[in-house]
Amino acid sequence: MKALCLPTRSSGSPPPLTRVCAGDPGREPDLRTRAPALPHPFKAETLLRPDPPAQSRLLRGRGAWRKHEASSQPESSCVQEQGFGTVAAGMVLDIVQHWEVFQKVTEVFILVPALLGLKGNLEMTLASRLSTAANIGHMDTPKELWRMITGNMALIQVQATVVGFLASIAAVVFGWIPDGHFSIPHAFLLCASSVATAFIASLVLGMIMIGVIIGSRKIGINPDNVATPIAASLGDLITLALLSGISWGLYLELNHWRYIYPLVCAFFVALLPVWVVLARRSPATREVLYSGWEPVIIAMAISSVGGLILDKTVSDPNFAGMAVFTPVINGVGGNLVAVQASRISTFLHMNGMPGENSGQAPRRCPSPCTTFFSPDVNSRSARVLFLLVVPGHLVFLYTISCMQGGHTTLTLIFIIFYMTAALLQVLILLYIADWMVHWMWGRGLDPDNFSIPYLTALGDLLGTGLLALSFHVLWLIGDRDTDVGD
């Protein structure tokens, strides 16, 4: 077949015409004749022809993607290493479930998946968004870097405050519906604890994510493979520790300084206008500030349903052993699916804007064979991530056993049920991620902003539900060891 030769301009003045042949082996089409693909919410009509520095950054970003693509499988082992953060979070939850605040105000358990889910709603979305921007060259200059940092940090503070407030309302409602009991002091306690935890955790984790992404680019590691697992594992531990400490401290003042609860809520709400002004200044976050609420709020509601399952299960002394494993199974599932969604999104961004390249973004559900057994790079990544489930969880279970955590003996039948739940959770999540990211891309939505909140919330719901089902089945067949770790 005859090669297709296109005239292009090389850099320099006067710019001579050169020829780049798409059919020549070993040569790549010149990408400098098109504007760099910007993620949504940038619009095509606002793009100008890039200057030479912007063109070179685009070329470096695409070349970096090819290098990262070749080394994706070894870097995916970061998911296993970062999973130890979820083990630490599980150990913390196993301890604090016996605290008086968790015993008297059981709705705090409903807040646990919702606030831990902020790592997917906010921090992991931030990590994915900044990783994509770094890979396509939008954080190479100090001015671009500062604009991305300030805009995104202000954005997640707005989202964290609002979502923390809504999560407390969901916890109060879900706690009131089954029992028919409503306590105003407990409602204010939940609101203050939720808002303060969400705000502080998002601030700390956002700063950590920015440092990780900048450092990853400097040493040549794909941020997609590093930032999202770190956000997930550290997010679980930091958020759970903050929630436990803040709720316990506020609970001590329940009978003495009750007015402190509305004051805490009012303080963080008063900061909202400041963060809104800062987020509006950045074009990369202005549109998300107005249109990015739907996935965050829906994901919070989905995670709260998982919290209701956790509350009703852990409140039964026969299933107290579930607490230590819940952050682990949810965290690992969220790590894996977030890495996959971020990689697919970056791959699509390299080839255009949301809504373009409809041939790469099918609207129909893909077959499982296409998702897991096709030869493309995203399918290979899905297989590698799925194969990490069993060895990763075995290491985590062994670590919990050595630390004498939990209230369940790790028998063979327990490990079989646990592994079945974990494999089924990740299998479903990876398949949904393959469909959701491409579907959103075909509809002109940026998957970095919309897919990860849904996927991690579904991971929390699936993980908690399957784990609770496993514990109930184990109880029915006679596996009833509840005194380990007491």
Side-chain angles (χ1 to χ4, degrees), residues 193-400:
S193 301
S194 179
V195 173
T197 299
F199 183 93
I200 298 174
S202 295
L203 180 63
V204 173
L205 290 170
M207 296 174 65
I208 294 175
M209 286 305 95
I210 291 171
V212 169
I213 291 172
I214 295 175
S216 298
R217 290 291 293 169
K218 288 185 177 181
I219 63 178
I221 297 177
N222 186 359
D224 280 328
N225 294 332
V226 179
T228 46
I230 292 178
S233 58
L234 291 182
D236 286 342
L237 179 59
I238 293 175
T239 304
L240 187 56
L242 286 172
L243 175 62
S244 304
I246 292 174
S247 61
W248 175 73
L250 292 175
Y251 179 77
L252 295 179
E253 307 299 330
L254 182 61
N255 297 322
H256 305 286
W257 305 94
R258 290 188 178 182
Y259 65 86
I260 197 174
Y261 301 157
L263 287 180
V264 171
C265 298
F267 171 75
F268 289 108
V269 171
L271 293 177
L272 275 177
V274 178
W275 308 126
V276 170
V277 170
L278 292 176
R280 290 181 60 185
R281 291 181 178 178
S282 175
T285 57
R286 185 183 302 118
E287 186 70 18
V288 181
L289 180 64
Y290 297 121
S291 62
W293 292 100
E294 178 183 348
V296 174
I297 294 175
I298 294 178
M300 181 273 300
I302 295 173
S303 296
S304 296
V305 176
L308 180 61
I309 297 174
L310 177 64
D311 179 26
K312 297 305 177 183
T313 305
V314 176
S315 298
D316 188 341
N318 295 322
F319 306 116
M322 177 179 166
V324 71
F325 302 106
T326 301
V328 178
I329 192 170
N330 292 348
V332 172
N335 286 1
L336 296 173
V337 74
V339 169
Q340 180 70 355
S342 183
R343 288 184 58 82
I344 297 174
S345 176
T346 300
F347 178 80
L348 293 174
H349 274 104
M350 292 298 171
N351 294 279
M353 296 174 59
E356 296 181 352
N357 301 320
S358 58
Q360 295 185 9
R363 294 176 181 266
R364 296 181 179 179
C365 293
S367 68
C369 293
T370 303
T371 301
F372 295 100
F373 300 106
S374 62
D376 64 87
V377 61
N378 291 322
S379 180
R380 293 198 302 268
S381 175
R383 292 195 296 270
V384 170
L385 294 174
F386 182 75
L387 292 175
L388 289 175
V389 174
V390 172
H393 275 294
L394 286 176
V395 173
F396 303 149
L397 291 178
Y398 177 75
T399 303
I400 293 173

Side-chain angles (χ1 to χ4, degrees), residues 418-440:
Y418 180 87
M419 288 298 175
T420 302
L423 288 170
L424 186 58
Q425 176 208 32
V426 174
L427 187 71
I428 295 173
L429 288 176
L430 291 176
Y431 176 76
I432 294 176
D434 187 32
W435 164 76
M436 183 177 291
V437 172
H438 287 89
W439 180 80
M440 289 181 172

Side-chain angles (χ1 to χ4, degrees), residues 66-226:
R66 296 188 183 96
K67 181 177 68 174
H68 300 327
E69 178 181 308
S71 62
S72 62
Q73 295 182 3
E75 291 181 8
S76 296
S77 62
C78 292
V79 178
Q80 277 186 283
E81 298 174 3
Q82 300 303 329
F84 285 105
T86 64
V87 174
M91 298 294 295
V92 171
L93 183 60
D94 183 52
I95 295 172
V96 301
Q97 68 172 325
H98 303 293
W99 287 8
E100 186 177 358
V101 62
F102 283 84
Q103 298 291 328
K104 300 296 184 180
V105 190
T106 59
E107 292 84 359
V108 178
F109 282 112
I110 302 178
L111 288 177
V112 171
L115 293 182
L116 295 189
L118 286 178
K119 71 180 185 297
N121 299 345
L122 303 181
E123 281 80 25
M124 292 173 70
T125 302
L126 169 68
S128 179
R129 190 161 55 236
L130 293 181
S131 296
T132 298
N135 278 330
I136 62 179
H138 292 161
M139 295 176 61
D140 288 351
T141 66
K143 183 178 180 180
E144 291 176 331
L145 179 63
W146 178 250
R147 186 187 300 119
M148 292 293 294
I149 290 175
T150 56
N152 280 279
M153 286 296 294
L155 175 64
I156 65 170
Q157 293 310 116
V158 174
Q159 293 177 325
T161 304
V162 175
V163 171
F165 179 73
L166 295 178
S168 65
I169 295 178
V172 172
V173 172
F174 285 147
W176 167 73
I177 290 177
D179 301 331
H181 176 70
F182 178 77
S183 172
I184 294 180
H186 287 182
F188 277 110
L189 170 63
L190 291 171
C191 182
S193 301
S194 179
V195 173
T197 299
F199 183 93
I200 298 174
S202 295
L203 180 63
V204 173
L205 290 170
M207 296 174 65
I208 294 175
M209 286 305 95
I210 291 171
V212 169
I213 291 172
I214 295 175
S216 298
R217 290 291 293 169
K218 288 185 177 181
I219 63 178
I221 297 177
N222 186 359
D224 280 328
N225 294 332
V226 179

